[in-house]
């Protein structure tokens, strides 16, 4: 199964299902949670250039850009960094299929990525916080400003290597910049902040004793609550009433992600799944008892909603007053979901 990515032709973002063949990338529309039988379009890979990460959109770090031989640009947005990197490698592999030297180069690259895939960033941050073996926080001066509780770039690189999270300084820098991209750590002071503007990902984080960083506040809260969500078997025992792909706003970092939603009755629950994970376990869900569900008007973005919103929004407020913001791909789809959810509240 291939995860839905977002395609781009008329400057608006749409969820599309991509299938990579030897020489082309096909994309399909998703209707009612299923991909349509015939492709909506194709991107020919011969003579294509790939740019990843693509930094043209400030608030979309998970983009891949493809420039075709005829100079058409496609922007594809993935659900996670791992997914972005693995698509980028596979697409690059297809583009270079006729050039064995580049293919070897690619396998080397792919193997060096492997190291990062099986390391949990949460795990690293948790270790960094450890009072005895974690990273030492010190006071530092930067251009006359005094910062408490910071560490230098080179101190973090040393720490990552000595704790076995990376084998080379280059790898440690890659890992540190991932920690920065995922908002676990942030640059402080002029030198490290300036570096984040570099277009070269390996220069965003500086292995340098004058570049200062600190923990981003959000990560302290994130690491203590375990990411694993456990579900009661009974919650998942109801009859499936409706399912399909919708785009949901995250609670912590208000970013939008494609999720597969499954609506069940008796008991009435709405669960959502990460389409890029094979394990088929929900990543979230809630009881519909006592929920309020309503469409949000498309003129103007409501408070609590951030980022790039195309409209067709609706909102569910649970009995415990947790607000979920969800985008459907069309007005009709929004109506169908609201009408399916309402009777179960």
């Amino acid at each position: 199964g291939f995860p839905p990515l977002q395609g781009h032709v008329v400057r608006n973002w749409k969820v599309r299902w991509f299938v990579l063949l030897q020489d082309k990338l096909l994309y399909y529309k998703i209707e009612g949670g299923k991909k349509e039988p015939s492709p909506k379009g194709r991107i020919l890979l011969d003579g294509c250039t790939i740019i990843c990460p693509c930094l043209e959109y400030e608030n979309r770090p998970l983009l891949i850009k493809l420039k075709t031989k005829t100079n058409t640009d496609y922007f594809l947005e993935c659900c996670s960094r791992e997914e972005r990197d693995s698509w980028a490698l596979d697409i690059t592999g297809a583009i270079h299929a006729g050039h064995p030297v580049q293919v070897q180069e690619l396998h080397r690259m792919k193997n060096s990525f492997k190291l990062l895939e099986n390391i949990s960033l949460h795990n690293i941050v948790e270790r960094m916080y450890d009072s005895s073996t974690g990273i030492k926080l010190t006071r530092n001066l930067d251009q006359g400003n005094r910062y408490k509780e910071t560490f230098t770039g080179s101190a973090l690189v040393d720490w990552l290597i000595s704790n076995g999270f990376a084998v080379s300084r280059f790898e440690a820098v890659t890992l540190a910049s991932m920690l920065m991209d995922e908002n676990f750590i942030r640059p402080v002071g002029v030198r490290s902040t300036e570096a984040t503007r570099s277009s070269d990902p390996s220069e965003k984080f500086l292995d340098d004793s004058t570049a200062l960083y600190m923990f981003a506040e959000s990560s302290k809260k994130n690491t203590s609550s375990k990411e694993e969500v456990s579900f009661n078997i009974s919650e998942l025992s109801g009859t499936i009433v409706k399912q399909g792909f919708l785009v949901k706003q995250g609670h912590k970092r208000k970013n939008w992600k494609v999720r597969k939603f499954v609506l069940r009755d008796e008991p009435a629950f709405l669960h959502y799944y990460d389409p890029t994970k094979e394990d088929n376990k929900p990543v979230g869900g809630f009881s519909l008892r006592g929920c309020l569900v309503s469409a949000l008007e498309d003129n103007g973005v409501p408070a609590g909603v951030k980022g790039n919103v195309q409209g067709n929004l609706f909102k569910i407020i649970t009995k415990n007053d947790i607000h979920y913001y969800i985008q459907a791909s069309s007005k009709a789809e929004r109506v169908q979901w609201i009408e399916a959810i309402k009777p179960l509240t």
Side-chain angles (χ1 to χ4, degrees):
F2 286 85
L5 303 187
Q6 287 177 322
H8 149 144
V9 186
V10 229
R11 289 270 168 265
N12 57 353
W13 297 84
K14 294 201 172 79
V15 177
R16 292 289 179 255
W17 190 275
F18 279 72
V19 176
L20 177 60
L21 302 178
Q22 271 177 328
D23 57 345
K24 55 182 164 290
L25 199 51
L26 301 180
Y27 53 93
Y28 298 79
K29 281 174 80 162
I30 295 170
E31 278 303 325
K34 297 186 184 61
K35 80 176 171 61
E36 291 194 332
S38 54
K40 174 99 177 88
R42 53 179 56 75
I43 303 170
L44 296 175
L45 297 176
D46 178 44
C48 222
T49 21
I50 179 168
I51 296 98
C52 175
C54 156
L55 306 164
E56 283 181 39
Y57 291 86
E58 200 73 320
N59 59 345
R60 296 179 178 274
L62 301 178
L63 281 188
I64 296 171
K65 176 179 174 178
L66 290 176
K67 196 185 225 1
T68 65
K69 204 159 149 180
T70 55
N71 275 341
T72 312
D73 288 351
Y74 289 90
F75 294 86
L76 317 181
E77 181 168 49
C78 303
C79 292
S80 68
R81 166 167 281 94
E82 292 72 29
E83 190 200 21
R84 179 197 69 188
D85 292 343
S86 83
W87 272 91
L89 281 161
D90 291 340
I91 293 169
T92 309
I95 293 173
H96 294 319
H99 313 282
V101 178
Q102 280 159 313
V103 173
Q104 284 166 6
E105 187 53 41
L106 208 81
H107 283 301
R108 268 217 300 284
M109 225 168 101
K110 198 157 193 165
N111 294 337
S112 69
F113 264 103
K114 272 290 169 283
L115 195 129
L116 302 176
E117 279 171 28
N118 52 22
I119 289 179
S120 139
L121 296 182
H122 281 278
N123 176 10
I124 294 178
V125 175
E126 223 155 64
R127 289 271 296 277
M128 283 173 74
Y129 272 114
D130 188 292
S131 50
S132 55
T133 58
I135 192 156
K136 299 286 170 274
L137 300 177
T138 52
R139 284 170 170 277
N140 278 294
L141 274 171
D142 178 84
Q143 309 215 341
N145 295 323
R146 193 177 289 281
Y147 294 104
K148 299 197 301 242
E149 308 227 304
T150 53
F151 43 86
T152 66
S154 48
L156 178 54
V157 168
D158 293 346
W159 184 88
L160 287 168
I161 293 172
S162 65
N163 282 274
F165 289 116
V167 292
S168 65
R169 295 194 85 77
F170 175 75
E171 224 160 68
V173 166
T174 311
L175 210 46
S177 50
M178 286 167 78
L179 289 169
M180 198 160 64
D181 287 343
E182 295 296 342
N183 288 342
F184 287 113
I185 62 173
R186 63 188 183 85
V188 278
V190 181
R191 185 149 164 63
S192 54
T193 311
E194 282 294 303
T196 58
R197 303 208 173 91
S198 160
S199 58
D200 182 346
S202 64
E203 290 166 14
K204 279 183 147 36
F205 177 90
L206 299 176
D207 174 5
D208 185 310
S209 57
T210 61
L212 302 181
Y213 298 89
M214 69 194 294
F215 286 116
E217 291 319 286
S218 64
S219 61
K220 206 157 203 165
K221 296 196 275 288
N222 287 2
T223 51
S224 57
S225 75
K226 281 280 176 276
E227 284 299 279
E228 289 299 301
V229 190
S230 56
F231 290 94
N232 212 318
I233 292 298
S234 65
E235 281 186 28
L236 299 169
S237 64
T239 313
I240 294 180
V241 179
K242 183 171 175 55
Q243 54 181 322
F245 291 101
L246 295 164
V247 182
K248 175 189 156 299
Q249 179 172 264
H251 287 297
K252 292 185 187 124
R253 304 165 52 208
K254 308 276 184 195
N255 50 353
W256 292 90
K257 292 205 165 133
V258 176
R259 293 292 176 250
K260 182 182 178 182
F261 278 78
V262 178
L263 179 63
R264 293 181 174 87
D265 189 18
E266 292 178 34
F269 272 86
L270 184 60
H271 288 99
Y272 48 95
Y273 298 76
D274 181 340
T276 66
K277 292 204 164 69
E278 295 288 313
D279 64 6
N280 226 4
K281 288 197 190 91
V283 288
F286 49 91
S287 163
L288 291 171
R289 284 280 130 93
C291 280
L292 297 169
V293 57
S294 58
L296 295 174
E297 283 318 306
D298 290 347
N299 49 7
V301 176
V305 171
K306 285 204 170 71
N308 195 326
V309 179
Q310 299 302 327
N312 306 316
L313 268 182
F314 62 101
K315 171 174 165 181
I316 302 174
I317 304 175
T318 67
K319 201 168 65 187
N320 316 339
D321 198 39
I322 297 171
H323 293 224
Y324 288 88
Y325 293 99
I326 300 166
Q327 282 184 72
S329 62
S330 65
K331 274 209 161 48
E333 192 188 20
R334 172 172 74 179
V335 170
Q336 288 163 12
W337 273 100
I338 293 174
E339 285 179 353
I341 291 167
K342 269 216 167 102
L344 307 183
T345 60

